Every structure is written in C-alpha cells, then in structure tokens.
Amino acid sequence: MEFKDTQAIYLQIADYINEQILLGKWQPEEKIPSVRELAVTLEVNPNTVMRTCELLQQQEIIANKRGIGYFIQSDAVKKIIAAKKEAFISNELPQFFRNLFLLDITLDDLKPYYATFRQNKLNGHEN
C-alpha cells in the first residue's frame, strides 16, 4: 500500500478497510484479517493497525470478539456511506464546485463522463 504524506497512516488504513467493505470484498459479520496479518500485508507496525481498529470500533464499523478477532458490524456499509458522504459534501464538494465555476463547466457537461465511469465500474473495469 502506498501511503500519502497528507494524512495519518492509521486513517489511511481505516480508509482501506472501509473500501474493502464497500467493494464487498469483506462482508458484514465476517471476520477481518488479524492485526498482525494486516500489519504484515500493509507493511506497517501492528500498533498502527491497532489504532485503526480502535477508531473503527468507536465508529461502530467493526467489533472485537475477545479472543477471536475483529468482525464487521452488520450495518457497517450504511455507516461508512453516511460518513463518507458527509465528508465529501463538507470537504471536497466546495472545491469541486469552485473548479466547475472557474472552468465554466455545467453539471450537464459532466453527465456523459459520469455515465461512462459508472458503466465501466458496473462492468468491472478499474478506470
């Protein structure tokens, strides 16, 4: 995993775990890889992964079953989507709208690009 300098590593790992859940690679009520396994896979310190798990537990995305490991909560997808929507609307959308305005791009101009992007995703393409 390539980490960015602009965000704490444990938050980037949380984004990675959330993405695995949203993509359906990890299913609700399923056990996620252990802290140690994730640390090895992502090439980070296990303490960093532990910090990520504590955050995701606070957000009620995962739950710890003592002695067994961490499991994805049944409503994790709904919670992740709600949090990501709020963050997108608060943090990214204002700059996106500013760029549209400055470049004189309308939402109608974007429709064919979004339709193509969406179709590629539905067909399993990585674009």
Side-chain angles (χ1 to χ4, degrees):
M1 184 170 170
E2 295 285 325
F3 293 105
K4 300 171 251 163
D5 292 335
T6 56
Q7 186 182 39
I9 291 174
Y10 81 99
L11 294 174
Q12 293 177 64
I13 295 170
D15 286 342
Y16 167 80
I17 291 171
N18 286 337
E19 188 172 292
Q20 299 309 301
I21 295 168
L22 290 178
L23 290 171
K25 293 181 180 178
W26 298 353
Q27 297 293 317
E29 301 186 26
E30 182 178 278
K31 184 179 183 301
I32 67 170
S34 72
V35 169
R36 197 170 297 236
E37 288 173 300
L38 281 171
V40 169
T41 300
L42 301 174
E43 298 177 353
V44 297
N45 188 302
N47 292 332
T48 305
V49 176
M50 194 65 205
R51 188 170 179 193
T52 300
C53 290
E54 289 169 359
L55 172 69
L56 293 174
Q57 243 185 312
Q58 290 171 356
Q59 295 173 344
E60 299 178 342
I61 304 298
I62 62 173
N64 186 9
K65 293 186 180 178
R66 190 164 283 245
I68 301 174
Y70 289 99
F71 288 77
I72 300 166
Q73 297 279 43
S74 60
D75 60 349
V77 171
K78 185 175 84 172
K79 288 182 178 178
I80 294 167
I81 289 173
K84 284 192 167 288
K85 275 185 184 179
E86 173 147 345
F88 176 77
I89 289 169
S90 299
N91 303 328
E92 297 177 44
L93 203 52
Q95 184 62 45
F96 178 74
F97 284 147
R98 179 177 171 76
N99 287 336
L100 291 180
F101 176 77
L102 291 172
L103 299 172
D104 193 27
I105 298 172
T106 67
L107 293 178
D108 285 336
D109 294 337
L110 296 177
K111 284 182 181 177
Y113 295 103
Y114 181 69
T116 300
F117 174 84
R118 187 173 170 87
Q119 191 59 47
N120 285 339
K121 287 295 180 190
L122 292 172
N123 291 333
H125 296 92
E126 287 296 320
N127 297 353

